[in-house]
């Protein structure tokens, strides 16, 4: 099975680990050959927002041009890894502040996207921009608003960004209420 | 800051780690004193279902009596840690099969509950039971259906189970559509 990384040593005692199926389990886990500690590896959450300025056909979305790898120079919604000590919504708001310096009112959860092949769950909240002044942080080259026809579809950093933007513009165009979307990214 | 566990050794090379703030970061991370590997720790997802038999005032929910610690002998909805290689919905369905042996049709996401103090996100899907025959796995002493007035409120294993059940019975009683609930567990 794919793992984000393979443990070679035990994080408790430093001895070598082996991948084996523990008793009462059905999956291989990194198991210490000395102290028997088991080290589980699980999917990680990426949290962010879809910040929108204006409504209806005038709606514009905020995208950030990445100043870091991976995908340096490509456009993303503000998002990053959820940290210990915060809720999903708090993490999404924090990333929006850190990456774009944008003032927002956080809305409801809009997309839950499974990216199984890299062990990630991407969660995007809708957000209403309270200002068009941005203050991009060190991970962002530029933060700016895009109308639907301006979105750089061939310069987006991740599939989950495309999926989220497509769903937003489609919901808006069809006048649908903005309910939660779930999807799996192959 | 609270951590689920503290790394003492590097999982790549086995040398000692120290918690320090890496360059371009703002949080302490377990950093190897020998090979400089950084080991991130992030919240983990617990996924499960709210399996329901019948509708309206006749609705019954499926609970499982735990055969394992923590909370041996208390009642829970079928749920467990999301694994690598599966989507959130697949994990919720797998746990329902493993813990209750219940036949279900998975519904939409119903609750997203942040349990910040233990670094967990609990995600429950609604599910429609297709049968009242259950086949509890080794982690479950007993699986059975409960009407609202039968729910053992003082014998529930976790706060997130109580929150999810309370919301379900309240939505049902008020005839509200079953939309996503988000809440933070203090």
């Amino acid at each position: 099975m794919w793992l984000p990384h393979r443990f070679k040593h035990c994080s408790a005692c430093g001895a070598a680990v082996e991948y084996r199926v523990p008793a009462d389990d059905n999956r291989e886990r990194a198991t210490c050959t000395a102290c028997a500690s088991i080290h589980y590896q699980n999917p990680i959450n990426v949290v962010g927002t879809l910040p929108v300025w204006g409504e209806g056909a005038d709606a514009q979305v905020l995208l950030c041009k990445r100043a870091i790898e991976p995908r340096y120079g490509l456009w993303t919604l503000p998002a990053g890894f959820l940290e210990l000590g915060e809720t999903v919504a708090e993490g999404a708001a924090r990333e929006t502040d850190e990456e774009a310096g944008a003032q927002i009112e956080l809305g409801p959860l809009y997309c839950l996207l499974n990216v199984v092949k890299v062990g990630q769950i991407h969660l995007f909240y809708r957000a209403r921009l309270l200002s068009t002044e941005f203050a991009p942080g060190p991970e962002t080259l530029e933060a700016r608003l895009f109308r639907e026809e301006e979105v750089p579809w061939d310069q987006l950093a991740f599939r989950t960004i495309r999926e989220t933007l497509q769903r937003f513009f489609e919901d808006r165009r069809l006048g649908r209420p903005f309910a939660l979307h779930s999807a799996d990214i192959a």
Side-chain angles (χ1 to χ4, degrees), chain A residues 47-49 87-98 102 104 106 125:
Chain A
V47 298
T49 62
T87 67
V88 177
E90 286 167 352
R94 175 185 51 75
E95 289 288 346
T96 307
D97 179 50
E98 286 180 4
I104 59 164
L106 199 71
Y125 286 76

Side-chain angles (χ1 to χ4, degrees), chain A residues 74-151:
Chain A
L74 299 185
W75 293 88
T76 185
L77 291 166
F81 293 114
L82 181 64
E83 298 279 4
L84 291 168
E86 66 187 6
T87 67
V88 177
E90 286 167 352
R94 175 185 51 75
E95 289 288 346
T96 307
D97 179 50
E98 286 180 4
E99 298 197 348
Q103 306 299 309
I104 59 164
E105 178 184 76
L106 199 71
L109 185 61
Y110 183 57
C111 281
L112 186 161
L113 303 165
N114 296 279
V115 197
V116 169
K117 68 178 173 183
V118 293
Q120 295 181 356
I121 315 297
H122 290 210
L123 298 138
F124 289 97
Y125 286 76
R126 285 196 299 128
R128 190 170 70 86
L129 282 164
L130 303 176
S131 154
T132 57
E133 307 258 311
F134 311 120
E139 299 186 1
T140 303
L141 295 171
E142 181 187 356
R144 58 158 284 206
L145 293 170
F146 292 86
R147 296 180 191 283
E148 181 174 7
E149 62 273 18
E150 297 170 330
V151 170

Side-chain angles (χ1 to χ4, degrees), chain A residues 39-51:
Chain A
H39 304 287
Y40 295 89
Q41 295 174 270
N42 299 84
I44 196 168
N45 293 318
V46 171
V47 298
T49 62
L50 168 63

Side-chain angles (χ1 to χ4, degrees), chain A residues 148 166-178:
Chain A
E148 181 174 7
Q166 283 177 335
R167 283 169 166 72
F168 170 71
F169 287 116
E170 187 176 331
D171 282 348
R172 192 205 57 172
R173 203 162 44 237
L174 298 176
R176 276 202 295 243
F178 290 98

Side-chain angles (χ1 to χ4, degrees), chain A residues 10 52 60 72 78-79 92 105-106 128 155 169 186:
Chain A
C10 174
V52 178
Q60 298 175 74
Y72 180 99
E105 178 184 76
L106 199 71
R128 190 170 70 86
Q155 306 266 316
F169 287 116

